Amino acid sequence: AVANPAEEADTSKAQSKDLSLSLEIKSRHAWRGGLTTRSWNMQPTIEYSGIKNLTLGAWGCYTINNEYAEVDLYASYSLGNFGITLYDYFNPMPSENGANHHFFNFDKNVTGHLIDATIDYTFGSIPLKLMASTIVYGADLNDSGSNRYSTYFEASYEHMLSSGQTISYFVGGTPHKSMYYNNANVVNLGFKVSQDVKISSYTLPVNGSMV
């Protein structure tokens, strides 16, 4: 399993005009309905947005017991309510000594990379977001060695509670046999609650998810 950095990088950021940094600490991590790691992990993100409508970023996930490691690069372009993002997920687990550990090896038969093309649309009148994603290259192969083009669709809805918390509901699925499931099915369902906690003069953003 791999993680989607743009979906995860939603914590408080120390930022300049064009560059932002963030770090999230999580008790476990799930991505698109699948458990990535059950261990405590750190997720750093760095983003550059100095080019009009374009965001470049890098995201990582590292467990404290070396169970899991991942580093992703992404480029996102926004046009009105539309967003287009290209992700490069690099997940060389379970062994750092395997052939897929080489970052610059893009041979689809041994690479640890997955290239994911994603498009999303956020409605202006209601806080509803639709997303579609397809793995277009990398370690997403069927038994014959061909690309499965694993595809994922998701709808999410977010609103503010009277208590000041933000809650978002989401449902996602795959339309065919893929890396997400062995047939067309709903694979991701749940909600996420976020809240800012005041600690003296600081604000700590916290969130929890039921997936």
Side-chain angles (χ1 to χ4, degrees):
V2 294
N4 188 320
E7 292 170 357
E8 300 304 324
D10 59 352
T11 58
S12 179
K13 298 178 180 180
Q15 61 184 6
S16 65
K17 181 178 179 181
D18 300 327
L19 189 68
S20 65
L21 305 171
S22 67
L23 176 66
E24 187 168 12
I25 299 173
K26 303 186 72 172
S27 59
R28 55 171 45 197
H29 185 252
W31 178 70
R32 297 181 179 178
L35 181 64
T36 301
T37 176
R38 65 186 72 247
S39 301
W40 281 91
N41 60 91
M42 297 179 291
Q43 298 181 7
T45 301
I46 181 170
E47 280 190 349
Y48 176 73
S49 56
I51 305 173
K52 184 178 180 180
N53 297 340
L54 180 66
T55 298
L56 305 176
W59 176 93
C61 178
Y62 309 96
T63 60
I64 60 175
N65 60 359
N66 293 323
E67 175 192 80
Y68 187 85
E70 180 181 346
V71 59
D72 302 338
L73 304 176
Y74 57 95
S76 181
Y77 185 82
S78 61
L79 185 63
N81 291 347
F82 282 97
I84 300 173
T85 306
L86 188 66
Y87 297 99
D88 176 8
Y89 308 130
F90 182 62
N91 172 223
M93 305 304 284
S95 171
E96 292 190 351
N97 298 316
N100 69 348
H101 183 258
H102 299 285
F103 187 84
F104 294 103
N105 186 348
F106 282 88
D107 183 335
K108 70 175 184 178
N109 296 310
V110 294
T111 188
H113 289 269
L114 288 169
I115 308 300
D116 183 9
T118 297
I119 185 170
D120 62 74
Y121 180 81
T122 302
F123 291 84
S125 56
I126 56 175
L128 175 66
K129 181 178 180 179
L130 303 179
M131 185 266 284
S133 164
T134 297
I135 304 296
V136 296
Y137 187 81
D140 179 38
L141 307 178
N142 58 27
D143 294 338
S144 64
S146 300
N147 197 333
R148 290 185 294 185
Y149 294 101
S150 292
T151 298
Y152 175 81
F153 296 111
E154 183 178 285
S156 59
Y157 180 85
E158 179 179 285
H159 69 98
M160 180 79 71
L161 301 178
S162 59
S163 59
Q165 299 168 325
T166 299
I167 184 168
S168 58
Y169 307 92
F170 51 87
V171 57
T174 183
H176 59 83
K177 182 179 181 180
S178 65
M179 65 182 294
Y180 304 107
Y181 202 65
N182 57 14
N183 55 43
N185 218 319
V186 173
V187 298
N188 191 21
L189 178 68
F191 64 90
K192 177 179 179 179
V193 180
S194 304
Q195 179 177 342
D196 289 341
V197 177
K198 296 288 186 179
I199 302 177
S200 184
S201 59
Y202 298 95
T203 299
L204 179 67
V206 295
N207 64 75
S209 300
M210 179 70 178
V211 182

